[in-house]
Amino acid sequence: MTFERAEKGIERGDPFTITIDGKEVVAYSGETIAGAMLAAGKMTLGHSGQKKSPRGVYCGIGVCYSCLVTIDHLPSQRACQTPAKGGMAIESEKKTEQSHENI
Amino acid sequence: MKTYDLIIIGDGPAGLSAADQAAAMGITFLIIDENPLPGGRIFTQSGLKQSDNIFNTAQKKRLFKKFSSFTRSLKSQTSVIGVFPDNILLLTSGEGTTKVRYKSLIVACGASETGIPFPGWTLPGVMTSGCTQTLLKTQGIFPKKAVLAGTGPLQLILADQLIKRGGKVLALVETGSLPTWLKASTALLGQWKLLKEMGACSLTLARHRVPVYFNSLVSSAHGEKSLQEIKISSLKGSLKKTIKTDSLCIGYGFVPSYEITCSAGAKQTLINDKWGPVRGQDMQTSVEGLFAVGDGAEINGAVMAEYEGAVAAIGTTRFLGKICESEAKKRLSLLYQKIKKEEKLRKQFNQLMKLPGKVFELASDDTVICRCEDITLRDLKTAAKDANSDINELKRLSRVGMGLCRGRTCGTAVGEILSKLTGSPLEKIGFFTPRPPFRPVTIGQLAKNDFKDN
């Protein structure tokens, strides 16, 4: 796994479960969808509108819109700006989907 | 429509300081920010308890000390999506869209990272240093192994923080030269705290045997679905090293968010090759009653942002006629002294943050420059033939900068590239004209509005 949760000097919030592309993973309160996805080993979050090339978290501060995912059936949400909540269903945006290219 | 004596946009160090000073002088105001918690990017807060407090500085404590007195004036998770005549701002949040009017405005909306396109930079696993630091600070999530590349001392600090949390830094790649760094460090003599911090970071790097490449940059990133490998080249272009990694953090400095001051009519100018508003000593822009402070106006860091915020608040009070001239002058002269001292320090910093022209020559014809619209360098070269050295003409011809990020990621690079292609100076190339909405909004958010009542 590429990203991990630091253990040294850190006290985490309460754990809960979210699903990422149908797979249940644990996230902690205070984490964003981007953080939870990276910690779950999910680097590719979506694909660009025109060329359909893979995209992941890039700026992490809500500016670049590279980290768009579908959250509870709502498409094109910024993973880095959305706090993770128990029971959320997150889908990374597939190559074939017509998502934010039509916005 | 509600009219406020003062609206402050942004609750980072500049905005908080302005709010604190305005409150002290009895001005009622509204302060808004896009984020759920105040502090700005540098002092981002989270629910995470960190026992060693590596991110808790004296400045953060100072800024938050007085914060409780004006929490009720803060509207968080709210974006300004447009500025209109008669001092009207359009604000959008999850609750919908609302119109407000201001008598005076302090724009303290911060900066974002300079997007530098190079082959492979759109691959998942390539992220900004700010991104990595934000994840680390607010969530304690970090890349296990990463290469850090860019310009300036912030990379050094991030490397130290990553290592302290248990990460491994595979290499630190810096465009500056060792002599430039040493020269800047000598100029910082007397700034013991800062020198000590940078020294400690360097020691961490040495202790963990992190290879440091000066005069170098990451020239390309490779991988199929996500990052697998990066290439380090010298500034002259010769390949120095290939490293297998799935995480690359790139930090090439920051770009002020000029969209609000620009839309409000403030004249913009180039400062250290970045566009920002022209300002007087009291932080007032070319528009009366419109002030711009902090990194959103000119990249000078959090300490300067705090001083500037206070200056603008006094300027506003003077503009509103709520302070006598002698009292304003007295308060301002103290702050001007502090600013003057800080300017000396920033000069050294800005020297280290200066981007070599080479970083804008890394893209190949197939490299995507505009991440949102997938516009390549080849597309730009074609469009540039008819763009008359005008970045907005280039935008209309190619769709560059028209995507969801509103050109905030690629704007600086597109300007530099067009300047190189045409031989015209950046002044002539100009900047992407901001258009409302400054942020993508849903029809639902716009429809849920209070326009009828106004």
Side-chain angles (χ1 to χ4, degrees), chain B residues 69-144:
Chain B
S69 63
F70 54 82
T71 27
R72 267 183 301 153
S73 315
L74 175 69
K75 226 172 140 79
S76 52
Q77 288 177 297
T78 302
S79 300
V80 176
I81 59 162
V83 186
F84 298 97
D86 298 326
N87 296 0
I88 289 170
L89 295 180
L90 212 54
L91 310 180
T92 298
S93 70
E95 291 154 25
T97 304
T98 178
K99 272 200 293 189
V100 288
R101 188 178 273 142
Y102 58 85
K103 283 185 192 162
S104 62
L105 184 67
I106 297 178
V107 183
C109 54
S112 56
E113 290 216 36
T114 319
I116 300 292
F118 57 91
W121 78 302
T122 56
L123 279 171
V126 180
M127 58 193 74
T128 67
S129 298
C131 172
T132 312
Q133 203 185 38
T134 303
L135 278 166
L136 186 69
K137 262 198 259 196
T138 60
Q139 303 172 51
I141 292 171
F142 66 99
K144 254 185 190 169

Side-chain angles (χ1 to χ4, degrees), chain A residues 1-13 29-36 38-39 43-66 68 76-78 80-81 83 100-101 103, chain B residues 35 41 47-52 111-116 121-128 130-131 134-135 138-145 163-166 224-226 246-247 250 368 370-374 376 404-405 408-409 439-440:
Chain A
M1 219 181 286
T2 322
F3 275 70
E4 65 178 24
R5 292 185 172 90
E7 283 164 10
K8 266 194 248 172
I10 280 178
E11 208 179 297
R12 286 191 187 277
S29 101
E31 287 180 1
T32 60
I33 298 290
L38 287 171
M43 296 293 277
T44 304
L45 274 55
H47 291 84
S48 64
Q50 308 297 322
K51 292 185 193 293
K52 306 290 177 196
S53 61
R55 291 284 196 271
V57 181
Y58 170 70
C59 82
I61 59 167
V63 173
C64 77
Y65 289 77
S66 283
L68 299 182
S76 303
Q77 303 299 303
R78 286 174 294 176
C80 76
Q81 295 298 295
H100 55 280
E101 68 181 299
I103 294 180
Chain B
N35 297 288
R41 291 304 165 201
L48 209 61
K49 279 189 195 136
Q50 313 196 34
S51 57
D52 52 356
S112 56
E113 290 216 36
T114 319
I116 300 292
W121 78 302
T122 56
L123 279 171
V126 180
M127 58 193 74
T128 67
C131 172
T134 303
L135 278 166
T138 60
Q139 303 172 51
I141 292 171
F142 66 99
K144 254 185 190 169
K145 291 177 187 170
I163 292 168
K164 276 190 182 138
R165 282 286 181 259
E224 221 173 288
K225 286 181 183 153
S226 63
D246 49 23
S247 303
I250 30 176
V368 163
C370 166
R371 301 170 65 96
C372 301
E373 294 292 307
D374 273 336
T376 62
L404 289 175
C405 92
R408 288 190 289 164
T409 310
R439 303 287 184 263

Side-chain angles (χ1 to χ4, degrees), chain B residues 46-286:
Chain B
S46 73
L48 209 61
K49 279 189 195 136
Q50 313 196 34
S51 57
D52 52 356
N53 271 335
I54 58 172
F55 300 110
N56 235 347
T57 63
Q59 191 189 10
K60 182 175 180 179
K61 283 181 201 148
R62 185 171 66 235
L63 282 167
F64 281 101
K65 217 169 124 190
K66 290 174 190 161
F67 175 68
S68 56
S69 63
F70 54 82
T71 27
R72 267 183 301 153
S73 315
L74 175 69
K75 226 172 140 79
S76 52
Q77 288 177 297
T78 302
S79 300
V80 176
I81 59 162
V83 186
F84 298 97
D86 298 326
N87 296 0
I88 289 170
L89 295 180
L90 212 54
L91 310 180
T92 298
S93 70
E95 291 154 25
T97 304
T98 178
K99 272 200 293 189
V100 288
R101 188 178 273 142
Y102 58 85
K103 283 185 192 162
S104 62
L105 184 67
I106 297 178
V107 183
C109 54
S112 56
E113 290 216 36
T114 319
I116 300 292
F118 57 91
W121 78 302
T122 56
L123 279 171
V126 180
M127 58 193 74
T128 67
S129 298
C131 172
T132 312
Q133 203 185 38
T134 303
L135 278 166
L136 186 69
K137 262 198 259 196
T138 60
Q139 303 172 51
I141 292 171
F142 66 99
K144 254 185 190 169
K145 291 177 187 170
V147 172
L148 271 53
T151 303
L154 299 178
Q155 303 293 104
L156 187 65
I157 296 167
L158 177 62
D160 177 64
Q161 291 165 342
L162 280 173
I163 292 168
K164 276 190 182 138
R165 282 286 181 259
K168 189 171 164 66
V169 176
L170 299 171
L172 185 79
V173 189
E174 162 63 43
T175 57
S177 67
L178 184 59
T180 321
W181 276 68
L182 291 175
K183 211 179 127 196
S185 312
T186 352
L188 290 177
L189 286 177
Q191 294 283 344
W192 293 116
K193 235 177 92 189
L194 196 76
L195 265 184
K196 217 175 107 190
E197 198 188 325
M198 283 179 63
C201 293
S202 310
L203 264 180
T204 311
L205 252 67
R207 214 179 301 129
H208 288 82
R209 296 174 200 279
V210 177
V212 181
Y213 296 85
F214 284 102
N215 286 318
S216 304
L217 37 74
V218 168
S219 50
S220 61
H222 307 267
E224 221 173 288
K225 286 181 183 153
S226 63
L227 181 67
Q228 289 166 326
E229 190 180 275
I230 58 118
K231 289 196 189 319
I232 300 172
S233 299
S234 74
L235 283 187
K236 287 191 181 126
S238 58
L239 181 69
K240 276 187 168 173
K241 181 100 183 159
T242 303
I243 297 180
K244 290 217 176 305
T245 181
D246 49 23
S247 303
L248 168 67
C249 312
I250 30 176
Y252 283 115
F254 306 94
V255 192
S257 311
Y258 61 79
E259 61 264 24
I260 295 172
T261 53
C262 181
S263 281
K267 197 172 173 267
Q268 307 287 314
T269 184
L270 278 168
I271 304 159
N272 297 325
D273 295 335
K274 306 280 170 60
W275 290 98
V278 176
R279 297 181 296 168
Q281 202 185 18
D282 63 351
M283 306 300 147
Q284 197 161 196
T285 65
S286 62

